[in-house]
Amino acid sequence: MSEKKNEELQGKKRPGRKAMTPAEKEAAAKVRAAEKEKASQMRPEFIMQFQGADTNLDTLAEAAMAKFHEQKKRTRVTSLKLYIKPEERKAYYVVNEKYTGDIIF
């Protein structure tokens, strides 16, 4: 009886996805490649919320570097540390382990 059941199952086609044409396969491959490229270049966006205010941390980093470059125009930024104090609405920064400053957000 089990042999008869196996033969019945093999004879029936299972429902599923329709086979893709070569053009559809190529289009799907392009979409996957674009998604893979986008995923490899993805940078997380950090947003801090405190007492009803939103602050984008990337914007704070850019503002800190801009303020630093106002004072030291020719110095290259090789490292940047931000210390954020939301209760003071300030961010303190250290550039290249040497220069310090603060920005108000």
Side-chain angles (χ1 to χ4, degrees), residues 26-85:
E26 186 177 327
K30 287 180 182 179
V31 168
R32 282 192 305 275
E35 286 175 351
K36 186 176 180 181
E37 178 68 23
K38 186 176 179 182
S40 70
Q41 294 180 359
M42 191 273 312
R43 283 189 48 192
E45 184 176 355
F46 296 104
I47 299 173
M48 179 183 56
Q49 294 182 331
F50 183 75
Q51 294 182 345
D54 291 351
T55 303
N56 187 325
L57 300 184
D58 291 333
T59 305
L60 283 179
E62 290 172 10
M65 289 195 311
K67 187 169 181 182
F68 171 73
H69 281 297
E70 288 175 4
Q71 300 165 357
K72 304 280 185 184
K73 290 183 177 25
R74 295 184 175 259
T75 305
R76 242 182 229 165
V77 177
T78 57
S79 71
L80 172 68
K81 292 182 182 177
L82 280 176
Y83 298 91
I84 301 161
K85 302 223 23 190

Side-chain angles (χ1 to χ4, degrees), residues 1-48:
M1 194 167 202
S2 64
E3 290 177 27
K4 185 176 182 183
K5 194 173 189 179
N6 284 339
E7 289 176 16
E8 287 178 13
L9 288 176
Q10 288 178 356
K12 292 183 180 179
K13 288 190 174 183
R14 292 182 176 174
R17 290 194 288 183
K18 185 177 83 170
M20 294 169 67
T21 65
E24 290 173 331
K25 285 182 182 180
E26 186 177 327
K30 287 180 182 179
V31 168
R32 282 192 305 275
E35 286 175 351
K36 186 176 180 181
E37 178 68 23
K38 186 176 179 182
S40 70
Q41 294 180 359
M42 191 273 312
R43 283 189 48 192
E45 184 176 355
F46 296 104
I47 299 173
M48 179 183 56

